[in-house]
């Protein structure tokens, strides 16, 4: 403690002089003629003041007011106050001590007594501070020791279950992100920063019970038998029992959250989970958050019993209920924080593979590298490329090399064709793609990249406006990408075909959805889309704007053949279609039915694109051009094309609306 000042606060000069003479041989003296000046000294020198000697009766700010002010500023715990007063009334002394003063000395002043009593107060205060520092240090050491024990247990679990050391970091980070979102967006979720941090730390023990599961079950590289799964399920209760035995860790809240998480992180919102079959809000919020984090991590990482699933596919599977039931607020939270999940999954990814364009360092490739990457397959398809009215690139995702396969000379001056594709594509987008389409372009290429690098079959297509030079006009181009070298899962190559898009005869969806004659707007629509009799029910506001349901459908059908409205909050679907020729088994009423269906009417080459479109609908991300083919009941191929927008009703519900024209003579 380096407190070397004595502050004397007294309006009487003689009293200040007497007290100063008592202490000036050992301490530096600060003198204040009233409480206001004394308060300024406290604020300036509070770290170096050993004691305050305070008079009670003073002008401007008296001793009572001064004492109350430094108490309000939480300074009484740092600096002891000794009141020096001529009033020896016991009631005053009692009141002063209750207000936080350390002692009260009555005048007249006896130097030896005053010196000793003040020194006693200073010593007691120094001892208390030293004791607090020692306690804090000891507590920190104990916490570090406890953390080492927990980390050791987690490490044992990871080694036994063949999980990477990054798994624990990801679960903790995902849990933290979910809880922060819930705390910031739901009034009934009262979690402060300390509780969120405590729960996030406790999440690392969620699978501690796996320590008692036999290796033959824990690491079985195949589906468990019913009896084996029953054994695996016991890890929840076993984990909770182990945590109860960790009572030497004297952090009650931490242990309680850890127990709840270990016990209940496999419970599901609809009561289908284990070990107790809890449902709804009976499941602790901390366990619900860890459950979402754990399922997402299990899907997006390699396990002995399953391959890696892409980020977007994993999110869609969870939102669609394919991995168990979760509350609507948890699904809302996941949809909102999904980009942050993807970023952290990349940051703590096993093996440290970069997961975005910006994570790739710049490097160039010589002709020898390009030849090695492409020569083996080049002659297999180069002849057929002459039949394509467009431009064809080949990309090697393992080396980041790329090459213009056809034509021989590049028409793209902004694409240097000499370096790293994931860096050069940025230049290409900035210079040649219309500013409004840049985001869509990069999102689609990033999604394809993730899919191809994960070894999935990929065939995607989208449209964007592009120009060949700075002075040229923008035209609508179609960008198609398909993975090649499917015979080897270790190779990750693709072809990208760029060609002018076919002109569309339908009006933009904004025109149809705005329905200018009716005064409706996409930004704040007055429609409430519901599923009833395959029609669109109009909300009560319809009468206010004077538009009947029949009039709405009449205006709509004058522009589009099909309107599909998807409620991404509850997964319901509304179709208004003039024919059932594309839905022989009845039109789907939920997005899940679209996913689960065998899609017999979707043109085979477009199934992957159709699935990707459904995923974007679930995520609330489907915007812009839509185009795919379907087969009628009479085996005729029809092309659907149109636009998609995201709309919201006045109650905050979220919808994806897709308006389509049907080209019944489109063929293949």
């Amino acid at each position: 403690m380096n407190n070397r000042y004595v502050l004397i606060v007294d309006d009487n000069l003689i009293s200040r002089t007497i007290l100063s003479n008592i202490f000036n041989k050992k301490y530096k003296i600060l003198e204040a003629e009233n409480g206001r000046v004394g308060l300024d000294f406290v604020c300036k020198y509070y770290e170096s003041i050993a004691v305050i000697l305070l008079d009670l009766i003073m002008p401007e700010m008296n001793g009572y007011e001064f004492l109350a002010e430094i108490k309000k500023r939480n300074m009484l715990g740092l600096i002891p106050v000794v009141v020096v007063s001529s009033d020896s009334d016991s009631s005053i002394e009692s009141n002063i001590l209750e207000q936080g003063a350390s002692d009260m000395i009555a005048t007249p002043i006896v130097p030896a007594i005053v010196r000793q009593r003040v020194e006693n107060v200073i010593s007691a205060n120094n001892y208390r501070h030293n004791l607090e520092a020692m306690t804090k240090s000891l507590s920190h050491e104990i916490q570090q020791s406890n953390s080492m024990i927990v980390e050791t247990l987690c490490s044992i679990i990871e080694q036994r279950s063949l999980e990477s050391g990054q798994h624990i970091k990801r679960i903790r980070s995902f849990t933290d992100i979910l809880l922060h979102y819930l705390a910031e967006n739901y009034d009934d979720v009262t979690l402060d920063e300390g509780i969120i941090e405590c729960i996030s730390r406790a999440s690392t023990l969620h699978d501690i019970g796996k320590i008692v599961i036999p290796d033959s079950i824990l690491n079985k590289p195949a589906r468990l038998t019913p009896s084996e799964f029953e054994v695996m399920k016991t890890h929840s209760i076993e984990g909770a029992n182990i945590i109860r035995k960790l009572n030497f860790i004297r952090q009650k809240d931490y242990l309680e959250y850890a127990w709840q998480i270990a016990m209940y992180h496999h419970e599901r919102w609809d009561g289908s989970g284990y070990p107790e079959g809890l449902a709804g809000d009976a499941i602790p919020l901390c366990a619900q958050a860890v459950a979402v984090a754990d399922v997402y991590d299990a899907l997006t990482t390699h396990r002995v019993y399953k391959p890696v699933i892409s980020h977007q596919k994993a999110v869609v599977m969870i939102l669609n209920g394919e991995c168990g039931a979760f509350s609507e607020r948890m699904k809302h939270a996941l949809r909102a924080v999904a980009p942050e999940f993807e970023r952290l999954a990349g940051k703590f990814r096993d093996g440290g593979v970069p997961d975005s364009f910006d994570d790739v360092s710049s490097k160039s490739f010589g002709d020898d590298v390009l030849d090695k990457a492409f020569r083996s397959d080049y002659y297999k398809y180069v002849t057929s490329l002459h039949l394509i009215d467009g431009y064809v690139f080949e990309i090697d995702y393992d080396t980041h090399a790329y090459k213009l396969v056809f034509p021989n000379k590049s028409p793209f001056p902004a694409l240097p064709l000499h370096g790293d594709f994931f860096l050069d594509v940025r230049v290409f987008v900035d210079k040649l793609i219309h500013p409004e389409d840049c985001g869509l372009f990069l999102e689609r290429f990033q999604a394809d990249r993730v899919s191809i690098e994960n070894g999935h079959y990929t065939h995607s297509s989208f449209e964007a406006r592009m120009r060949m030079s700075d002075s040229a006009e923008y035209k609508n181009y179609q960008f198609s990408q398909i993975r090649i070298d499917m015979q080897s899962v270790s190779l990750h190559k693709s072809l990208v075909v760029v060609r002018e898009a076919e002109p569309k005869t339908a009006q933009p969806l904004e025109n149809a959805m705005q329905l200018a004659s009716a005064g409706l707007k996409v930004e704040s629509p007055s429609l409430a889309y519901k599923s009833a009799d395959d029609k669109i029910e109009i909300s009560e506001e319809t009468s206010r704007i004077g538009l009947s349901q029949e009039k709405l459908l009449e205006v709509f059908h004058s522009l589009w053949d099909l309107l599909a409205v998807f409620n991404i909050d509850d997964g319901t679907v509304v179709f208004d279609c003039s024919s059932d020729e594309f839905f022989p088994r009845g039109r789907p009423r939920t997005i899940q039915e679209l996913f689960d269906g065998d899609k017999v009417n979707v043109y085979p080459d477009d199934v992957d694109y159709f699935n990707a479109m459904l995923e974007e609908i679930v995520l609330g991300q489907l915007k812009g051009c839509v185009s795919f083919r379907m087969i009628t009941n009479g085996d005729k191929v029809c092309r659907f094309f149109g636009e998609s927008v995201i709309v919201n009703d006045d109650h905050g519900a979220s919808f994806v609306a897709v308006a389509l024209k049907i080209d019944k003579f489109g063929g293949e």
Side-chain angles (χ1 to χ4, degrees):
M1 302 292 289
N2 189 28
N3 300 331
R4 306 304 302 165
Y5 284 100
V6 170
L7 172 60
I8 303 170
V9 186
D10 195 325
D11 64 328
N12 189 304
L13 177 60
I14 296 175
S15 296
R16 296 204 305 271
T17 302
I18 294 172
L19 291 171
S20 176
N21 289 335
I22 294 174
F23 295 101
N24 61 11
K25 292 181 180 179
K26 186 175 180 180
Y27 299 94
K28 296 178 182 179
I29 305 300
L30 298 172
E31 296 186 25
E33 63 272 19
N34 59 58
R36 186 72 63 191
V37 177
L39 186 62
D40 291 339
F41 277 130
V42 171
C43 294
K44 186 175 181 180
Y45 298 103
Y46 71 92
E47 291 182 338
S48 301
I49 296 175
V51 69
I52 300 172
L53 305 180
L54 179 66
D55 185 26
L56 293 178
I57 309 302
M58 294 178 293
E60 290 197 44
M61 179 185 286
N62 62 37
Y64 298 101
E65 295 169 334
F66 174 85
L67 196 60
E69 190 63 32
I70 63 172
K71 182 177 181 180
K72 184 173 70 175
R73 300 186 184 205
N74 296 318
M75 292 180 174
L76 273 178
L78 300 174
I79 310 171
V81 177
V82 176
V83 174
V84 182
S85 175
S86 59
D87 197 335
S88 58
D89 190 318
S90 60
S91 63
I92 294 178
E93 182 175 3
S94 176
N95 182 42
I96 288 298
L97 295 177
E98 287 179 1
Q99 293 301 313
S102 299
D103 197 2
M104 181 171 178
I105 301 175
T107 57
I109 295 172
V110 179
I113 295 176
V114 170
R115 181 184 298 109
Q116 189 58 53
R117 290 179 65 174
V118 170
E119 287 287 1
N120 289 345
V121 168
I122 293 174
S123 297
N125 186 64
N126 287 344
Y127 178 78
R128 181 172 63 84
H129 281 293
N130 288 334
L131 188 61
E132 289 177 353
M134 290 174 60
T135 302
K136 185 179 295 185
S137 176
L138 182 60
S139 175
H140 179 68
E141 291 180 9
I142 293 173
Q143 185 170 337
Q144 280 190 320
S145 178
N146 293 339
S147 297
M148 289 180 63
I149 293 172
V150 170
E151 289 176 7
T152 301
L153 289 171
C154 292
S155 178
I156 293 172
I157 298 166
E158 290 167 1
Q159 294 299 323
R160 290 200 63 241
S161 61
L162 302 181
E163 292 173 347
S164 74
Q166 302 290 65
H167 169 68
I168 297 299
K169 295 178 182 178
R170 292 192 296 265
I171 294 298
R172 180 169 178 171
S173 298
F174 295 154
T175 302
D176 179 83
I177 292 170
L178 284 171
L179 293 177
H180 270 101
Y181 179 85
L182 293 171
E184 292 167 4
N185 292 277
Y186 292 91
D187 294 336
D188 59 330
V189 177
T190 55
L191 300 174
D192 60 30
E193 194 68 36
I195 294 176
I196 292 176
E197 196 276 336
C198 185
I199 294 174
S200 300
R201 283 194 298 115
S203 70
T204 61
L205 291 174
H206 67 288
D207 274 342
I208 191 173
K210 286 184 177 178
I211 201 169
V212 303
I213 304 299
D215 286 343
S216 59
I217 295 177
L218 190 62
N219 297 316
K220 182 178 179 180
R223 183 181 295 275
L224 298 179
T225 66
S227 60
E228 289 172 335
F229 185 57
E230 289 302 315
V231 174
M232 177 64 82
K233 286 163 63 176
T234 64
H235 83 274
S236 295
I237 295 177
E238 294 292 350
N241 291 337
I242 291 172
I243 290 171
R244 284 291 188 232
K245 296 175 183 178
L246 298 178
N247 53 14
F248 60 86
I249 300 178
R250 301 196 178 279
Q251 295 173 300
K252 184 178 179 181
D253 289 345
Y254 170 76
L255 287 178
E256 182 59 29
Y257 286 129
W259 183 89
Q260 291 180 4
I261 290 168
M263 185 73 170
Y264 299 126
H265 72 285
H266 283 291
E267 300 287 2
R268 293 296 178 258
W269 189 254
D270 60 358
S272 62
Y274 63 87
E276 296 183 358
L278 299 183
D281 288 321
I283 308 170
L285 186 65
C286 59
Q288 294 183 44
V290 173
V292 173
D294 193 34
V295 168
Y296 173 83
D297 193 68
L299 291 172
T300 56
T301 56
H302 174 75
R303 301 293 172 88
V304 295
Y305 52 85
K306 58 164 284 296
V308 174
I309 293 174
S310 70
H311 159 78
Q312 179 163 308
K313 181 66 175 177
V315 172
V316 169
M317 290 174 68
I318 296 172
L319 295 179
N320 264 343
E322 297 177 49
C323 307
F326 299 96
S327 70
E328 288 301 316
R329 67 170 52 179
M330 278 296 169
K331 291 193 287 187
H332 274 292
L334 175 61
R335 185 185 292 118
V337 304
E340 189 69 2
F341 266 38
E342 184 176 22
R343 185 188 70 80
L344 284 168
K347 179 179 179 181
F348 298 119
R349 180 174 296 182
D350 303 334
V353 180
D355 63 330
S356 69
F357 291 140
D358 296 327
D359 290 335
V360 184
S361 59
S362 175
K363 75 176 179 180
S364 297
F365 300 93
D367 290 339
D368 57 333
V369 177
L370 291 173
D371 286 344
K372 184 178 180 180
F374 301 119
R375 186 185 301 276
S376 61
D377 298 293
Y378 178 78
Y379 296 106
K380 296 179 182 179
Y381 54 81
V382 68
T383 304
S384 62
L385 296 181
H386 286 268
L387 302 176
I388 296 177
D389 185 17
Y391 312 97
V392 182
F393 292 87
E394 186 175 344
I395 305 170
D396 188 321
Y397 283 84
D398 296 317
T399 65
H400 306 161
Y402 66 104
K403 189 172 185 178
L404 180 67
V405 179
F406 181 82
N408 295 326
K409 185 177 181 180
S410 172
F412 304 104
L415 201 59
L417 296 174
H418 71 273
D420 187 310
F421 175 76
F422 301 112
L423 296 177
D424 290 347
V425 74
R426 289 285 190 177
V427 179
F428 176 81
V429 171
D430 291 342
K431 289 185 174 293
L432 301 184
I433 301 299
H434 193 285
E436 294 179 3
D437 295 343
C438 288
L440 170 67
F441 188 99
L442 292 174
E443 285 176 11
R444 292 299 182 92
F445 263 92
Q446 177 66 3
D448 286 349
R449 176 186 177 182
V450 172
S451 178
I452 291 170
E453 288 181 344
N454 285 330
H456 302 310
Y457 172 72
T458 302
H459 180 197
S460 69
S461 180
F462 66 93
E463 294 183 9
R465 287 163 289 180
M466 182 182 71
R467 60 185 179 183
M468 291 300 183
S469 66
D470 293 341
S471 59
E473 294 183 359
Y474 286 104
K475 294 183 179 180
N476 210 35
Y477 281 82
Q478 182 182 51
F479 295 82
S480 302
Q481 181 163 201
I482 183 169
R483 184 185 171 199
I484 57 177
D485 287 317
M486 292 300 294
Q487 72 277 8
S488 174
V489 295
S490 63
L491 298 177
H492 307 97
K493 298 180 183 179
S494 75
L495 286 183
V496 175
V497 179
V498 182
R499 53 187 172 185
E500 280 196 57
E502 297 179 16
K504 297 179 181 178
T505 58
Q507 299 182 28
L509 179 59
E510 284 82 357
N511 292 342
M513 292 302 295
Q514 284 175 354
L515 297 173
S517 62
L520 299 180
K521 296 182 179 179
V522 173
E523 293 78 9
S524 181
S526 299
L527 298 181
Y529 300 107
K530 300 176 182 178
S531 178
D533 300 327
D534 294 322
K535 296 292 185 179
I536 302 176
E537 292 186 353
I538 308 303
S539 69
E540 294 179 358
E541 291 193 18
T542 302
S543 58
R544 181 176 62 80
I545 62 176
L547 178 67
S548 67
Q549 177 171 321
E550 290 73 19
K551 178 61 177 176
L552 172 66
L553 296 179
E554 178 184 338
V555 173
F556 171 77
H557 281 302
S558 68
L559 300 172
W560 303 92
D561 298 319
L562 172 67
L563 172 67
V565 180
F566 303 86
N567 185 325
I568 62 175
D569 290 328
D570 62 17
T572 57
V573 183
V574 177
F575 282 90
D576 178 71
C577 186
S578 58
S579 172
D580 287 330
E581 60 184 325
F582 300 103
F583 305 101
R585 301 176 185 175
R587 298 177 213 162
R589 306 307 296 267
T590 66
I591 303 175
Q592 186 60 51
E593 287 181 21
L594 279 170
F595 269 106
D596 294 340
D598 53 17
K599 302 181 179 67
V600 293
N601 288 83
V602 179
Y603 192 73
D605 288 350
D606 293 350
V607 169
D608 285 336
Y609 171 79
F610 193 82
N611 286 337
M613 183 176 67
L614 294 179
E615 290 179 4
E616 292 190 2
I617 289 172
V618 173
L619 295 170
Q621 297 175 351
L622 185 67
K623 292 182 289 186
C625 301
V626 176
S627 178
F628 58 89
R629 289 164 293 180
M630 294 189 75
I631 304 172
T632 68
N633 295 341
D635 295 328
K636 185 177 184 61
V637 177
C638 297
R639 186 169 69 92
F640 287 68
F641 61 92
E643 302 278 338
S644 171
V645 295
I646 296 175
V647 296
N648 297 283
D649 68 9
D650 293 333
H651 303 290
S654 300
F655 302 87
V656 173
V658 183
L660 300 167
K661 291 290 286 184
I662 303 176
D663 179 6
K664 295 189 177 181
F665 304 97
E668 298 189 20

